[in-house]
Amino acid sequence: MKKTLKRGLCLVLAMVLAMAMGITALAACVHEAHHQTLRQVSGYRYYSSSQCEAEYEVTWTCKNCGQKFIKGTVSLGSEHVGGAVYSSSCNGSMQTWWRNCSRCNHGFSELHRCPKAPHSGSCTALPCVVPPETVKK
């Protein structure tokens, strides 16, 4: 019984020492950032007339000990990304195309040189022409 108890105490003591040494080694590590990753944690929202932004969580792994760290969150901007043109107009030389950002749904315009320029009257080269309403008989 004494032998078993002695061996058990030695085993527990060895485990405690190993854990203490591991914690000390981890605490003594001079952490060097390695393999930084970004994970999007919020949806895009309007930021300015040309940009929207989203929040990202920044994490990295220590090059020396492999421990993972959360650096925090950062806001990253992106230019508005347009979906289909929903409206357009032309002044005879330049066309204005209206789109909604597919990320934040903000409406924005783009200017494009008219391929039929210069011209007067209606433009036949618009990407989105709303047909006139027809009267039902």
Side-chain angles (χ1 to χ4, degrees):
M1 178 80 169
K2 277 187 176 183
K3 256 187 181 176
T4 307
L5 186 60
K6 213 178 203 183
R7 283 185 184 160
L9 284 173
C10 285
L11 184 60
V12 169
L13 183 60
M15 287 174 56
V16 169
L17 284 172
M19 285 175 49
M21 288 174 63
I23 291 170
T24 305
L26 203 60
C29 180
V30 178
H31 299 299
E32 287 185 56
H34 176 67
H35 191 67
Q36 182 171 309
T37 59
L38 298 172
R39 182 178 63 90
Q40 188 173 346
V41 293
S42 78
Y44 280 92
R45 62 187 172 277
Y46 175 83
Y47 178 72
S48 71
S49 61
S50 63
Q51 288 196 321
C52 48
E53 69 178 7
E55 296 288 320
Y56 288 84
E57 180 182 72
V58 182
T59 59
W60 57 276
T61 307
C62 176
K63 183 177 180 180
N64 300 323
C65 68
Q67 187 175 0
K68 293 190 181 207
F69 295 92
I70 297 175
K71 186 175 181 179
T73 58
V74 63
S75 294
L76 296 177
S78 171
E79 287 188 14
H80 292 299
V81 176
V85 176
Y86 68 84
S87 180
S88 59
S89 62
C90 183
N91 66 8
S93 61
M94 296 296 288
Q95 295 180 348
T96 304
W97 297 2
W98 287 94
R99 302 176 186 262
N100 279 338
C101 176
S102 59
R103 293 181 175 143
C104 71
N105 204 35
H106 169 70
F108 66 98
S109 64
E110 298 173 341
L111 289 175
H112 297 271
R113 179 148 188 79
C114 181
K116 302 274 183 159
H119 67 81
S120 60
S122 297
C123 181
T124 59
L126 287 171
C128 179
V129 177
V130 178
E133 289 187 50
T134 56
V135 179
K136 290 184 181 179
K137 294 183 181 181

Short mmCIF file of all heavy atoms in Angstrom, two decimals, residues 2-52:
data_model
loop_
_atom_site.label_atom_id
_atom_site.label_comp_id
_atom_site.label_asym_id
_atom_site.label_seq_id
_atom_site.Cartn_x
_atom_site.Cartn_y
_atom_site.Cartn_z
N LYS A 2 1.95 1.24 0.85
CA LYS A 2 2.83 2.38 0.92
C LYS A 2 3.53 2.62 -0.41
O LYS A 2 3.70 3.75 -0.84
CB LYS A 2 3.88 2.18 2.02
CG LYS A 2 3.42 2.52 3.38
CD LYS A 2 4.60 2.44 4.33
CE LYS A 2 4.21 2.88 5.71
NZ LYS A 2 5.34 2.88 6.62
N LYS A 3 3.92 1.49 -1.08
CA LYS A 3 4.59 1.60 -2.37
C LYS A 3 3.68 2.24 -3.40
O LYS A 3 4.09 3.10 -4.17
CB LYS A 3 5.01 0.21 -2.85
CG LYS A 3 6.43 -0.09 -2.71
CD LYS A 3 6.72 -1.41 -3.38
CE LYS A 3 8.18 -1.75 -3.22
NZ LYS A 3 8.52 -3.02 -3.72
N THR A 4 2.43 1.82 -3.43
CA THR A 4 1.46 2.35 -4.39
C THR A 4 1.22 3.83 -4.13
O THR A 4 1.17 4.64 -5.06
CB THR A 4 0.13 1.57 -4.30
OG1 THR A 4 0.41 0.18 -4.43
CG2 THR A 4 -0.83 2.00 -5.36
N LEU A 5 1.08 4.20 -2.88
CA LEU A 5 0.85 5.59 -2.51
C LEU A 5 2.06 6.45 -2.88
O LEU A 5 1.91 7.55 -3.41
CB LEU A 5 0.56 5.69 -1.00
CG LEU A 5 0.15 7.07 -0.49
CD1 LEU A 5 -1.13 7.53 -1.19
CD2 LEU A 5 -0.10 7.01 1.01
N LYS A 6 3.26 5.89 -2.62
CA LYS A 6 4.49 6.61 -2.94
C LYS A 6 4.61 6.84 -4.45
O LYS A 6 4.95 7.93 -4.90
CB LYS A 6 5.68 5.80 -2.43
CG LYS A 6 6.85 6.60 -1.98
CD LYS A 6 7.91 5.64 -1.45
CE LYS A 6 8.82 6.37 -0.49
NZ LYS A 6 9.89 5.52 0.00
N ARG A 7 4.32 5.79 -5.23
CA ARG A 7 4.38 5.91 -6.70
C ARG A 7 3.35 6.90 -7.21
O ARG A 7 3.61 7.68 -8.12
CB ARG A 7 4.16 4.54 -7.34
CG ARG A 7 5.34 3.66 -7.26
CD ARG A 7 5.10 2.37 -8.00
NE ARG A 7 6.23 1.48 -7.83
CZ ARG A 7 6.20 0.20 -8.02
NH1 ARG A 7 5.08 -0.39 -8.39
NH2 ARG A 7 7.27 -0.53 -7.87
N GLY A 8 2.16 6.86 -6.63
CA GLY A 8 1.10 7.79 -7.04
C GLY A 8 1.48 9.23 -6.76
O GLY A 8 1.28 10.12 -7.60
N LEU A 9 2.06 9.47 -5.57
CA LEU A 9 2.49 10.83 -5.23
C LEU A 9 3.62 11.29 -6.15
O LEU A 9 3.65 12.45 -6.57
CB LEU A 9 2.94 10.89 -3.77
CG LEU A 9 1.81 10.90 -2.73
CD1 LEU A 9 2.39 10.81 -1.33
CD2 LEU A 9 0.97 12.15 -2.87
N CYS A 10 4.54 10.41 -6.47
CA CYS A 10 5.63 10.75 -7.39
C CYS A 10 5.08 11.10 -8.77
O CYS A 10 5.53 12.04 -9.42
CB CYS A 10 6.63 9.60 -7.50
SG CYS A 10 7.68 9.45 -6.04
N LEU A 11 4.10 10.32 -9.22
CA LEU A 11 3.49 10.56 -10.52
C LEU A 11 2.77 11.92 -10.55
O LEU A 11 2.92 12.70 -11.48
CB LEU A 11 2.51 9.43 -10.87
CG LEU A 11 1.86 9.49 -12.24
CD1 LEU A 11 2.93 9.45 -13.34
CD2 LEU A 11 0.90 8.35 -12.41
N VAL A 12 2.02 12.22 -9.49
CA VAL A 12 1.33 13.51 -9.39
C VAL A 12 2.33 14.64 -9.35
O VAL A 12 2.16 15.66 -10.02
CB VAL A 12 0.40 13.53 -8.14
CG1 VAL A 12 -0.11 14.93 -7.87
CG2 VAL A 12 -0.76 12.57 -8.32
N LEU A 13 3.41 14.49 -8.57
CA LEU A 13 4.44 15.52 -8.47
C LEU A 13 5.09 15.75 -9.84
O LEU A 13 5.33 16.88 -10.24
CB LEU A 13 5.47 15.13 -7.42
CG LEU A 13 6.58 16.14 -7.16
CD1 LEU A 13 6.00 17.47 -6.67
CD2 LEU A 13 7.56 15.62 -6.14
N ALA A 14 5.36 14.65 -10.56
CA ALA A 14 5.97 14.77 -11.89
C ALA A 14 5.05 15.51 -12.85
O ALA A 14 5.49 16.35 -13.64
CB ALA A 14 6.31 13.39 -12.43
N MET A 15 3.75 15.21 -12.77
CA MET A 15 2.78 15.89 -13.64
C MET A 15 2.70 17.38 -13.30
O MET A 15 2.66 18.23 -14.19
CB MET A 15 1.41 15.24 -13.52
CG MET A 15 1.33 13.88 -14.19
SD MET A 15 -0.22 13.00 -13.92
CE MET A 15 -1.42 14.15 -14.49
N VAL A 16 2.69 17.71 -12.01
CA VAL A 16 2.64 19.12 -11.58
C VAL A 16 3.88 19.86 -12.07
O VAL A 16 3.80 20.98 -12.58
CB VAL A 16 2.47 19.23 -10.06
CG1 VAL A 16 2.69 20.64 -9.57
CG2 VAL A 16 1.09 18.73 -9.64
N LEU A 17 5.05 19.24 -11.93
CA LEU A 17 6.29 19.87 -12.39
C LEU A 17 6.28 20.06 -13.91
O LEU A 17 6.70 21.10 -14.42
CB LEU A 17 7.50 19.04 -11.97
CG LEU A 17 7.90 19.15 -10.50
CD1 LEU A 17 8.99 18.14 -10.18
CD2 LEU A 17 8.36 20.55 -10.17
N ALA A 18 5.81 19.05 -14.64
CA ALA A 18 5.75 19.15 -16.10
C ALA A 18 4.82 20.29 -16.53
O ALA A 18 5.13 21.07 -17.44
CB ALA A 18 5.29 17.83 -16.70
N MET A 19 3.66 20.40 -15.86
CA MET A 19 2.73 21.48 -16.18
C MET A 19 3.35 22.83 -15.87
O MET A 19 3.25 23.77 -16.64
CB MET A 19 1.41 21.30 -15.41
CG MET A 19 0.54 20.19 -15.99
SD MET A 19 -0.95 19.86 -15.01
CE MET A 19 -1.64 21.44 -14.75
N ALA A 20 4.00 22.95 -14.71
CA ALA A 20 4.63 24.22 -14.32
C ALA A 20 5.71 24.60 -15.31
O ALA A 20 5.84 25.76 -15.69
CB ALA A 20 5.19 24.12 -12.91
N MET A 21 6.50 23.63 -15.76
CA MET A 21 7.56 23.91 -16.73
C MET A 21 6.97 24.34 -18.07
O MET A 21 7.49 25.23 -18.72
CB MET A 21 8.46 22.69 -16.89
CG MET A 21 9.35 22.45 -15.69
SD MET A 21 10.30 20.93 -15.81
CE MET A 21 11.30 21.26 -17.22
N GLY A 22 5.88 23.70 -18.46
CA GLY A 22 5.23 24.07 -19.71
C GLY A 22 4.67 25.47 -19.67
O GLY A 22 4.81 26.25 -20.60
N ILE A 23 4.06 25.84 -18.55
CA ILE A 23 3.51 27.18 -18.39
C ILE A 23 4.64 28.20 -18.37
O ILE A 23 4.55 29.25 -18.99
CB ILE A 23 2.64 27.27 -17.12
CG1 ILE A 23 1.36 26.44 -17.31
CG2 ILE A 23 2.30 28.71 -16.77
CD1 ILE A 23 0.54 26.24 -16.05
N THR A 24 5.73 27.88 -17.69
CA THR A 24 6.88 28.78 -17.64
C THR A 24 7.47 28.96 -19.02
O THR A 24 7.79 30.07 -19.43
CB THR A 24 7.95 28.25 -16.66
OG1 THR A 24 7.35 28.03 -15.40
CG2 THR A 24 9.11 29.20 -16.53
N ALA A 25 7.59 27.87 -19.77
CA ALA A 25 8.14 27.97 -21.12
C ALA A 25 7.23 28.80 -22.01
O ALA A 25 7.70 29.60 -22.82
CB ALA A 25 8.32 26.57 -21.70
N LEU A 26 5.93 28.63 -21.87
CA LEU A 26 4.97 29.39 -22.66
C LEU A 26 5.04 30.86 -22.31
O LEU A 26 5.00 31.73 -23.16
CB LEU A 26 3.55 28.85 -22.42
CG LEU A 26 2.52 29.10 -23.49
CD1 LEU A 26 2.96 28.48 -24.81
CD2 LEU A 26 1.19 28.52 -23.07
N ALA A 27 5.15 31.16 -21.01
CA ALA A 27 5.21 32.55 -20.56
C ALA A 27 6.52 33.20 -20.99
O ALA A 27 6.58 34.40 -21.21
CB ALA A 27 5.05 32.62 -19.05
N ALA A 28 7.58 32.43 -21.11
CA ALA A 28 8.88 32.97 -21.49
C ALA A 28 9.01 33.14 -23.00
O ALA A 28 9.98 33.73 -23.46
CB ALA A 28 9.98 32.05 -20.97
N CYS A 29 8.07 32.65 -23.76
CA CYS A 29 8.14 32.73 -25.22
C CYS A 29 8.04 34.19 -25.67
O CYS A 29 7.21 34.95 -25.20
CB CYS A 29 6.99 31.93 -25.84
SG CYS A 29 7.01 31.97 -27.65
N VAL A 30 8.92 34.57 -26.57
CA VAL A 30 8.83 35.88 -27.21
C VAL A 30 7.98 35.65 -28.46
O VAL A 30 8.47 35.15 -29.47
CB VAL A 30 10.23 36.41 -27.58
CG1 VAL A 30 10.12 37.75 -28.28
CG2 VAL A 30 11.10 36.51 -26.34
N HIS A 31 6.71 35.97 -28.34
CA HIS A 31 5.77 35.64 -29.41
C HIS A 31 6.06 36.42 -30.68
O HIS A 31 6.25 37.63 -30.64
CB HIS A 31 4.34 35.93 -28.95
CG HIS A 31 3.92 35.14 -27.76
ND1 HIS A 31 3.87 33.76 -27.75
CD2 HIS A 31 3.54 35.54 -26.52
CE1 HIS A 31 3.47 33.35 -26.56
NE2 HIS A 31 3.28 34.40 -25.79
N GLU A 32 6.11 35.70 -31.78
CA GLU A 32 6.28 36.31 -33.09
C GLU A 32 5.06 35.94 -33.93
O GLU A 32 4.70 34.77 -34.04
CB GLU A 32 7.53 35.77 -33.78
CG GLU A 32 8.82 36.30 -33.21
CD GLU A 32 10.01 35.83 -34.03
OE1 GLU A 32 10.03 36.09 -35.25
OE2 GLU A 32 10.90 35.19 -33.45
N ALA A 33 4.45 36.96 -34.50
CA ALA A 33 3.26 36.73 -35.30
C ALA A 33 3.58 35.91 -36.54
O ALA A 33 4.61 36.10 -37.18
CB ALA A 33 2.63 38.06 -35.70
N HIS A 34 2.70 34.98 -36.82
CA HIS A 34 2.84 34.11 -37.98
C HIS A 34 1.44 33.71 -38.42
O HIS A 34 0.58 33.45 -37.59
CB HIS A 34 3.65 32.86 -37.59
CG HIS A 34 3.77 31.85 -38.69
ND1 HIS A 34 4.47 32.09 -39.84
CD2 HIS A 34 3.27 30.61 -38.81
CE1 HIS A 34 4.40 31.02 -40.61
NE2 HIS A 34 3.68 30.11 -40.00
N HIS A 35 1.19 33.68 -39.68
CA HIS A 35 -0.08 33.22 -40.24
C HIS A 35 -1.28 33.99 -39.66
O HIS A 35 -2.06 33.46 -38.89
CB HIS A 35 -0.25 31.72 -40.04
CG HIS A 35 -1.40 31.15 -40.82
ND1 HIS A 35 -1.41 31.10 -42.17
CD2 HIS A 35 -2.59 30.66 -40.40
CE1 HIS A 35 -2.56 30.58 -42.57
NE2 HIS A 35 -3.29 30.31 -41.52
N GLN A 36 -1.37 35.26 -40.03
CA GLN A 36 -2.49 36.09 -39.59
C GLN A 36 -3.72 35.76 -40.43
O GLN A 36 -3.62 35.58 -41.64
CB GLN A 36 -2.13 37.56 -39.76
CG GLN A 36 -3.19 38.51 -39.28
CD GLN A 36 -2.70 39.94 -39.26
OE1 GLN A 36 -1.66 40.21 -38.69
NE2 GLN A 36 -3.43 40.83 -39.87
N THR A 37 -4.88 35.65 -39.80
CA THR A 37 -6.12 35.36 -40.53
C THR A 37 -7.19 36.40 -40.19
O THR A 37 -7.18 36.99 -39.11
CB THR A 37 -6.67 33.96 -40.18
OG1 THR A 37 -6.92 33.90 -38.78
CG2 THR A 37 -5.71 32.87 -40.59
N LEU A 38 -8.09 36.61 -41.13
CA LEU A 38 -9.22 37.52 -40.95
C LEU A 38 -10.50 36.72 -41.10
O LEU A 38 -10.63 35.91 -42.01
CB LEU A 38 -9.19 38.62 -42.01
CG LEU A 38 -7.98 39.55 -42.01
CD1 LEU A 38 -8.01 40.46 -43.23
CD2 LEU A 38 -7.96 40.38 -40.75
N ARG A 39 -11.45 36.98 -40.19
CA ARG A 39 -12.75 36.33 -40.26
C ARG A 39 -13.81 37.41 -40.15
O ARG A 39 -13.83 38.18 -39.20
CB ARG A 39 -12.91 35.32 -39.11
CG ARG A 39 -14.23 34.57 -39.13
CD ARG A 39 -14.31 33.56 -37.98
NE ARG A 39 -14.27 34.18 -36.68
CZ ARG A 39 -15.36 34.58 -36.00
NH1 ARG A 39 -16.56 34.42 -36.52
NH2 ARG A 39 -15.24 35.13 -34.80
N GLN A 40 -14.67 37.50 -41.18
CA GLN A 40 -15.70 38.54 -41.19
C GLN A 40 -16.71 38.28 -40.08
O GLN A 40 -17.24 37.19 -39.97
CB GLN A 40 -16.40 38.58 -42.55
CG GLN A 40 -17.33 39.76 -42.70
CD GLN A 40 -17.89 39.89 -44.10
OE1 GLN A 40 -17.41 39.27 -45.04
NE2 GLN A 40 -18.91 40.71 -44.25
N VAL A 41 -16.97 39.30 -39.26
CA VAL A 41 -17.88 39.14 -38.12
C VAL A 41 -19.11 40.05 -38.22
O VAL A 41 -19.98 39.99 -37.36
CB VAL A 41 -17.17 39.37 -36.76
CG1 VAL A 41 -16.14 38.27 -36.51
CG2 VAL A 41 -16.52 40.74 -36.69
N SER A 42 -19.18 40.90 -39.24
CA SER A 42 -20.37 41.73 -39.43
C SER A 42 -20.65 41.85 -40.92
O SER A 42 -19.76 41.66 -41.75
CB SER A 42 -20.19 43.13 -38.82
OG SER A 42 -19.38 43.94 -39.66
N GLY A 43 -21.88 42.20 -41.24
CA GLY A 43 -22.23 42.44 -42.63
C GLY A 43 -21.72 43.79 -43.08
O GLY A 43 -21.32 44.63 -42.27
N TYR A 44 -21.71 44.00 -44.38
CA TYR A 44 -21.28 45.29 -44.91
C TYR A 44 -22.31 46.36 -44.60
O TYR A 44 -23.50 46.10 -44.55
CB TYR A 44 -21.07 45.21 -46.42
CG TYR A 44 -19.75 44.58 -46.80
CD1 TYR A 44 -19.65 43.22 -47.03
CD2 TYR A 44 -18.61 45.35 -46.90
CE1 TYR A 44 -18.44 42.64 -47.37
CE2 TYR A 44 -17.39 44.78 -47.24
CZ TYR A 44 -17.32 43.43 -47.48
OH TYR A 44 -16.12 42.86 -47.81
N ARG A 45 -21.82 47.58 -44.38
CA ARG A 45 -22.68 48.73 -44.15
C ARG A 45 -22.12 49.91 -44.93
O ARG A 45 -20.93 49.95 -45.25
CB ARG A 45 -22.79 49.04 -42.67
CG ARG A 45 -21.47 49.42 -42.04
CD ARG A 45 -21.59 49.56 -40.51
NE ARG A 45 -20.29 49.73 -39.92
CZ ARG A 45 -19.45 48.75 -39.61
NH1 ARG A 45 -19.79 47.50 -39.83
NH2 ARG A 45 -18.28 48.99 -39.08
N TYR A 46 -22.98 50.87 -45.20
CA TYR A 46 -22.58 52.08 -45.94
C TYR A 46 -21.51 52.83 -45.15
O TYR A 46 -21.62 53.01 -43.95
CB TYR A 46 -23.81 52.96 -46.14
CG TYR A 46 -23.49 54.29 -46.79
CD1 TYR A 46 -23.36 54.39 -48.17
CD2 TYR A 46 -23.32 55.43 -46.02
CE1 TYR A 46 -23.06 55.61 -48.76
CE2 TYR A 46 -23.02 56.65 -46.60
CZ TYR A 46 -22.89 56.74 -47.97
OH TYR A 46 -22.60 57.93 -48.56
N TYR A 47 -20.47 53.28 -45.85
CA TYR A 47 -19.42 54.06 -45.21
C TYR A 47 -19.30 55.44 -45.85
O TYR A 47 -19.23 56.44 -45.18
CB TYR A 47 -18.08 53.32 -45.29
CG TYR A 47 -16.93 54.09 -44.70
CD1 TYR A 47 -16.82 54.25 -43.32
CD2 TYR A 47 -15.96 54.67 -45.50
CE1 TYR A 47 -15.78 54.97 -42.76
CE2 TYR A 47 -14.91 55.39 -44.95
CZ TYR A 47 -14.83 55.53 -43.60
OH TYR A 47 -13.80 56.25 -43.04
N SER A 48 -19.26 55.47 -47.19
CA SER A 48 -19.18 56.73 -47.92
C SER A 48 -19.81 56.53 -49.29
O SER A 48 -20.22 55.42 -49.63
CB SER A 48 -17.73 57.19 -48.06
OG SER A 48 -17.04 56.36 -48.97
N SER A 49 -19.85 57.58 -50.07
CA SER A 49 -20.48 57.46 -51.39
C SER A 49 -19.73 56.50 -52.31
O SER A 49 -20.28 56.03 -53.29
CB SER A 49 -20.57 58.84 -52.05
OG SER A 49 -19.27 59.37 -52.22
N SER A 50 -18.49 56.19 -51.98
CA SER A 50 -17.73 55.27 -52.82
C SER A 50 -17.38 53.95 -52.14
O SER A 50 -16.88 53.04 -52.79
CB SER A 50 -16.44 55.94 -53.30
OG SER A 50 -15.62 56.25 -52.19
N GLN A 51 -17.63 53.85 -50.81
CA GLN A 51 -17.21 52.65 -50.10
C GLN A 51 -18.24 52.16 -49.08
O GLN A 51 -19.02 52.93 -48.54
CB GLN A 51 -15.90 52.90 -49.34
CG GLN A 51 -14.70 53.01 -50.23
CD GLN A 51 -13.43 52.86 -49.43
OE1 GLN A 51 -13.31 53.35 -48.32
NE2 GLN A 51 -12.46 52.17 -50.01
N CYS A 52 -18.17 50.85 -48.82
CA CYS A 52 -18.88 50.24 -47.69
C CYS A 52 -17.81 49.52 -46.87
O CYS A 52 -16.67 49.39 -47.31
CB CYS A 52 -19.97 49.28 -48.17
SG CYS A 52 -19.52 48.10 -49.44
#
